[in-house]
Amino acid sequence: MIALRVTFIDDILNYNSLSIVGLQKNTGKTECLKNVLARLPLDRKRVAVTSIGIDGETTDQVTRTQKPEIVLREGMYFGTSEAHYRQRRLVSELIDVSDESTSLGRVVTARALTQGKILLSGPSSTSGLQRWMRDVRRQGIDLAIVDGALSRLSLASPAVSQSMILATGAAYSINMSQLVQRTAFVVDLINIGVTNERNTTLLTPLDKGVWWIDTDGELHEMEAVTSLSQQVQFHGMERCSTIYVAGALVDSFLEKVRKNKSLKNVELVVRDFTKIFVSPQQLRLFEKNGGNIKVLQKSKLIAVTVNPTSPSGYVLDSKVLCDKLSQAINLPVYDLLKS
């Protein structure tokens, strides 16, 4: 397991940004962040870290369970709110106070001059997070790490970070088979392939509506339609090869496409996996009918971590869980407390 952990960290170093996201509260996301921060080679990379939630509390404010504290090493950069910056237990150099405001004050960026503990509560929006990451890169940061909040898979979007680690565990489901299936489905979505270069060029500038490309490569807009519209008409789309949904892809739209005989074998494109809100059943039916889903942008899933203990105290067999999940997703799976 030690060799695997070295590879895990080395993989992170191939990217300039990393999101750590959890499928549920208490799946070990903060423990994963703690583990990563302790092992990164600071002599090779300049590292900055922030959170879109509040991280570093000793007790979870929802479940009242114990949480690991965030320890920063000397030389690490961090972004947190003014309120939590004042509570820091380390010596730091102030780098920037941004215009980005949160409920706990403006976002402060600083560099740790000593090792110590910190509460992380950074930008509260995806756009604010993107601005913070751009700002720290101008400070010469090689790797920006974002610790996500509950169910904020949007933080794993390629628009935010190049790579990601997914945390799952008994808090997501205490039924091991269900846990493996549900996690594997999310991993399948993350691993959806990128569409062809022509589609990428045509569709990337479009951020609203539903569009389609005909067999001659011509782009058309479906007027006044989103994937959430109740009345979706596919008239005149007999030569459609690709449909692009700029917003959220939901079950009802996927079902309408599947049931339209003229759209058999169509490629359905979304911006990235965080825009997909469909059930495993509808996705299987769509693919069985000859359709397939592609994305414009894809981030690299580096690893999956598990916390086999639920907040209620129910404990799954860690080794069995890691083995079954790893086999299902064909990726390394780590219980970081056992490794």
Side-chain angles (χ1 to χ4, degrees):
M1 185 63 80
I2 293 175
L4 287 175
R5 294 181 74 178
V6 172
T7 301
F8 177 18
I9 297 299
D10 285 347
D11 286 346
I12 294 172
L13 302 179
N14 293 323
Y15 303 92
N16 64 28
S17 50
L18 171 73
S19 292
I20 302 175
V21 293
L23 290 179
Q24 183 60 274
K25 242 185 184 328
N26 297 109
T27 52
K29 175 176 56 63
T30 304
E31 189 63 50
C32 179
L33 173 65
K34 178 181 173 183
N35 192 284
V36 168
L37 293 179
R39 294 174 178 275
L40 287 170
L42 299 186
D43 57 331
R44 293 164 53 192
K45 296 285 183 178
R46 298 179 76 182
V47 176
V49 60
T50 192
S51 172
I52 206 163
I54 299 175
D55 270 306
E57 311 143 298
T58 57
T59 304
D60 188 283
Q61 297 303 305
V62 177
T63 63
R64 311 310 301 176
T65 53
Q66 289 298 113
K67 291 186 63 178
E69 295 181 289
I70 299 300
V71 178
L72 298 184
R73 293 151 60 196
E74 179 183 348
M76 284 184 168
Y77 289 67
F78 61 95
T80 194
S81 65
E82 289 178 289
H84 286 155
Y85 183 71
R86 296 188 191 101
Q87 299 173 27
R88 69 196 184 280
R89 285 182 282 166
L90 51 78
V91 179
S92 63
E93 175 190 6
L94 183 64
I95 303 297
D96 179 62
V97 180
S98 77
D99 296 330
E100 182 75 20
S101 184
T102 73
S103 59
L104 296 171
R106 294 171 295 177
V107 175
V108 173
T109 302
R111 182 169 68 95
L113 299 179
T114 63
Q115 179 168 301
K117 295 177 180 179
I118 186 74
L119 286 166
L120 292 176
S121 54
S124 57
S125 66
T126 301
S127 59
L129 183 59
Q130 290 171 315
R131 284 192 295 272
W132 180 84
M133 294 178 82
R134 286 195 296 268
D135 288 344
V136 295
R137 287 196 189 102
R138 285 195 285 268
Q139 297 291 333
I141 293 300
D142 301 303
L143 173 64
I145 301 175
V146 181
D147 193 34
L150 172 64
S151 300
R152 290 295 295 271
L153 277 175
S154 61
L155 295 177
S157 165
V160 175
S161 63
Q162 290 185 339
S163 64
M164 65 175 291
I165 297 172
L166 188 68
T168 187
Y172 194 40
S173 175
I174 59 173
N175 181 301
M176 188 179 295
S177 295
Q178 185 180 74
L179 172 58
V180 170
Q181 290 173 2
R182 291 172 65 183
T183 304
F185 178 65
V186 175
V187 171
D188 285 344
L189 297 184
I190 295 169
N191 288 331
I192 286 175
V194 177
T195 189
N196 62 57
E197 188 174 346
R198 181 200 67 179
N199 287 350
T200 300
T201 301
L202 283 174
L203 302 175
T204 295
L206 308 175
D207 57 5
K208 293 181 181 178
V210 179
W211 304 72
W212 62 282
I213 301 172
D214 63 31
T215 51
D216 292 328
E218 294 294 322
L219 181 66
H220 310 268
E221 183 177 10
M222 294 177 65
E223 297 292 337
V225 168
T226 73
S227 72
L228 304 177
S229 302
Q230 294 301 311
Q231 302 298 323
V232 178
Q233 303 294 329
F234 298 105
H235 299 312
M237 294 176 60
E238 291 77 12
R239 296 175 57 247
C240 173
S241 64
T242 304
I243 297 176
Y244 173 60
V245 177
L249 175 63
V250 296
D251 274 352
S252 57
F253 186 84
L254 195 64
E255 185 176 19
K256 289 182 177 74
V257 174
R258 174 174 61 83
K259 290 183 175 180
N260 189 301
K261 294 182 179 179
S262 66
L263 298 177
K264 189 177 177 67
N265 301 321
V266 73
E267 178 174 294
L268 206 160
V269 180
V270 294
R271 186 159 295 276
D272 60 65
F273 87 95
T274 67
K275 301 294 186 182
I276 303 175
F277 299 91
V278 301
S279 65
Q281 295 80 6
Q282 282 295 339
L283 182 58
R284 281 196 295 268
L285 287 171
F286 178 71
E287 292 173 339
K288 186 177 180 180
N289 196 50
N292 68 96
I293 297 179
K294 297 290 184 181
V295 295
L296 295 180
Q297 295 176 293
K298 180 180 178 181
S299 57
K300 172 66 176 178
L301 178 61
I302 290 176
V304 174
T305 66
V306 298
N307 177 7
T309 304
S310 74
S312 62
Y314 190 89
V315 182
L316 298 173
D317 186 300
S318 175
K319 185 178 186 309
V320 174
L321 175 58
C322 288
D323 288 346
K324 285 190 174 183
L325 186 53
S326 182
Q327 185 175 12
I329 66 176
N330 196 30
L331 267 178
V333 176
Y334 307 87
D335 178 350
L336 294 175
L337 292 181
K338 296 282 187 182
S339 302

